[in-house]
Amino acid sequence: MKIIIKDGRVIDPANKIDANLDILIEGEKISKVSKNISSSSAKIIDAKGKVVCPGLIDMHVHLREPGEEHKETIATGTLSALNGGFTSVACMPNTNPVLDDKTRIEFILSKAKSDASTNVFPIASITKEAKGEELSNIGELKEAGAVALSDDAHPLMNAEVMRRAMEYSKMFGLSIIAHCEDINMTHDGVMNEGFTSTILGLRGMPKAAEEIIVSRNIILAEWTGCNLHIAHVSTAGAVEMIRLAKKRKVRVTAETAPHYFTLTQEAVKGYNTNAKMNPPLREDIDVKAIKEGLKDGTIDCIASDHAPHTSLDKECEFNYASFGIIGMETTLSLVITELVNKKILSLSDAIKKLTINPARILNINRGTLSEGSIADITIIDVDKEWTVDVNKFASKAKNSPFNGWKLLGLPYIVIIGGKIQLSEK
């Protein structure tokens, strides 16, 4: 099947393209990007007034399968991703059982082949059972299809184990994705430590807990030469450490999530459990620093950190509620509304953080509209206004602090492997 995408504003940061062009898709690949493409046998997609970019990549999601299918499955999670404009997701290993064995990676890939609406790239656990004690068999995990390593919600506290993990990850060409938190400082904490936590009578999680481990991991990465990726950066101090490390040519990259550039700890007031997350929402000064880090390139990627939970997990006392929010169906719109339209990022820079940057960090063959590349394409209506209604989401979970927000920007058409998988109703 041939498809021609006509008259769209093509933005491909990998190739430094931002121009009105046509794209010809033949089979599962892009065969031509230029002006005035024609073919009598092709299906025509009119993209006039729309933005055409590489398929969006969410490099940090929790699909919950296996083990917590009551919260989310590969089927529902990837359908949620598709509705958010994503063509690829990288799923975290904190499932039950943990993705620390090649058969479990193979399970994810097999299940994705039969059930997924998008591409799924599994991230494997650094240590067995994510206990931070004994390294997983990293070579086997890569051979099975793992694209990176992370103990995710279980911060790796032992510096010697992290050092060895970095050495092995370098040997196998895998990035270490680090959740940076000193759990000795955050034990029983439920929100950012500060004035608001004191007023609410809630135990706080200090910013230093994140920054100490960010610093340690940067030191180890500089020593070992591995590719270190800092997950969900939330503090001004962490942004500055990453910025300085990059100036020293340390192989460090970073991501943040939309809630860290749109919300502060004030969202917790009223004991709103949909504002409970880890890292916690911080202060205005941190939000400002996150935006500056995105603008100057210190923060390379934007990921949803999609963390689905049931109503029972969230509709309870704040201290007992689970950490995390869903995000794949709001990420694109929050980026357009809060970053692009407010002149923090150009549209090209925003797309770069959602396409080629995560693709390079994960070393996956995606994120570009180069001729001959796989035809994963997201067409965006950047002017489409909508109101967030979690009850209409494809995700099983509804735990979003953005319910009721009016946002701009929605996927118009999503193409994966040359096939139209989503089109505006």
Side-chain angles (χ1 to χ4, degrees):
M1 181 179 179
K2 290 183 181 180
I3 298 173
I4 298 176
I5 303 171
K6 296 285 293 182
D7 299 325
R9 178 187 171 187
V10 175
I11 299 179
D12 180 11
N15 291 304
K16 298 181 180 177
I17 293 172
D18 187 347
N20 287 340
L21 298 168
D22 300 343
I23 297 176
L24 173 63
I25 300 167
E26 295 186 272
E28 65 173 15
K29 295 193 174 180
I30 295 168
S31 62
K32 192 174 184 181
V33 180
S34 69
K35 292 192 174 186
N36 303 317
I37 298 174
S38 63
S39 171
S40 59
S41 60
K43 175 181 176 62
I44 305 297
I45 295 175
D46 182 4
K48 189 174 183 179
K50 308 295 190 296
V51 170
V52 183
C53 68
L56 305 183
I57 300 166
D58 193 339
M59 68 173 296
H60 189 146
V61 309
H62 303 266
L63 297 180
R64 303 302 188 203
E65 189 174 8
E68 292 185 302
E69 289 84 354
H70 59 292
K71 294 184 178 184
E72 195 78 283
T73 63
I74 289 170
T76 60
T78 56
L79 183 56
S80 179
L82 180 67
N83 287 348
F86 293 98
T87 59
S88 298
V89 299
C91 59
M92 285 294 175
N94 63 330
T95 49
N96 185 17
V98 172
L99 303 184
D100 62 358
D101 178 89
K102 70 173 186 178
T103 59
R104 294 166 191 170
I105 297 295
E106 289 165 353
F107 167 83
I108 296 292
L109 293 172
S110 174
K111 194 74 171 175
K113 190 174 182 179
S114 62
D115 292 3
S117 298
T118 67
N119 305 303
V120 176
F121 296 96
I123 295 167
S125 181
I126 298 171
T127 63
K128 292 183 179 179
E129 299 181 51
K131 288 183 175 179
E133 298 169 356
E134 183 182 357
L135 292 182
S136 302
N137 192 323
I138 293 171
E140 281 193 359
L141 290 167
K142 179 176 181 179
E143 190 176 66
V147 296
L149 299 167
S150 179
D151 274 4
D152 190 49
H154 305 282
L156 214 165
M157 294 300 298
N158 188 314
E160 176 63 11
V161 175
M162 179 60 97
R163 170 200 174 184
R164 299 302 180 193
M166 288 184 172
E167 290 170 343
Y168 275 98
S169 71
K170 182 183 178 183
M171 287 170 56
F172 290 103
L174 295 171
S175 293
I176 293 277
I177 301 176
H179 172 116
C180 296
E181 174 190 356
D182 187 329
I183 57 175
N184 299 304
M185 298 183 72
T186 60
H187 183 65
D188 289 337
V190 293
M191 68 169 293
N192 183 59
E193 181 180 292
F195 179 77
T196 303
S197 65
T198 303
I199 294 297
L200 294 174
L202 296 172
R203 185 174 176 86
M205 305 167 74
K207 298 178 192 180
E210 178 173 334
E211 294 160 3
I212 286 168
I213 304 302
V214 168
S215 177
R216 184 207 71 178
N217 287 342
I218 286 172
I219 290 167
L220 290 174
E222 190 166 19
W223 186 24
T224 62
C226 88
N227 294 325
L228 169 67
H229 181 75
I230 308 294
H232 42 50
V233 174
S234 75
T235 78
V239 174
E240 183 60 18
M241 287 178 202
I242 295 162
R243 181 179 289 118
L244 292 173
K246 286 190 169 190
K247 287 180 180 178
R248 298 198 310 273
K249 307 300 182 184
V250 181
R251 300 172 69 91
V252 60
T253 54
E255 73 189 43
T256 195
H259 35 283
Y260 299 119
F261 59 73
T262 56
L263 299 171
T264 69
Q265 61 186 358
E266 299 301 303
V268 175
K269 287 184 174 178
Y271 302 95
N272 177 12
T273 58
N274 283 332
K276 181 180 179 180
M277 53 203 70
N278 188 11
L281 298 173
R282 305 292 187 180
E283 300 176 81
D284 286 326
I285 190 172
D286 301 293
V287 172
K288 184 179 179 181
I290 294 291
K291 289 178 178 177
E292 188 58 37
L294 286 164
K295 188 172 186 175
D296 69 15
T298 299
I299 300 175
D300 306 85
C301 306
I302 298 169
S304 70
D305 194 6
H306 179 82
H309 293 291
T310 67
S311 58
L312 290 175
D313 297 316
K314 284 292 190 178
E315 294 174 9
C316 57
E317 295 92 335
F318 197 91
N319 282 333
Y320 299 109
S322 297
F323 289 103
I325 67 169
I326 55 172
M328 289 191 284
E329 294 181 61
T330 52
T331 291
L332 173 62
S333 303
L334 287 165
V335 168
I336 291 170
T337 305
E338 297 294 326
L339 297 178
V340 176
N341 289 355
K342 294 184 179 180
K343 310 299 183 184
I344 308 297
L345 293 178
S346 68
L347 189 54
S348 181
D349 282 342
I351 289 170
K352 185 177 183 180
K353 295 179 191 298
L354 290 163
T355 57
I356 191 59
N357 282 3
R360 286 172 176 164
I361 291 164
L362 298 173
N363 195 26
I364 59 175
N365 183 27
R366 296 294 191 280
T368 174
L369 299 177
S370 299
E371 293 178 2
S373 65
I374 295 170
D376 285 0
I377 299 172
T378 302
I379 304 176
I380 306 167
D381 185 344
V382 294
D383 299 316
K384 182 76 171 180
E385 186 175 272
W386 66 292
T387 300
V388 178
D389 182 352
V390 294
N391 293 313
K392 294 180 180 179
F393 283 0
S395 173
K396 283 188 176 186
K398 312 302 174 191
N399 51 303
S400 170
F402 302 111
N403 193 40
W405 281 40
K406 288 186 177 179
L407 300 174
L408 284 174
L410 277 174
Y412 177 66
I413 289 175
V414 178
I415 297 169
I416 302 178
K419 296 179 180 178
I420 298 172
Q421 301 292 355
L422 178 77
S423 58
E424 188 180 56
K425 297 181 178 66

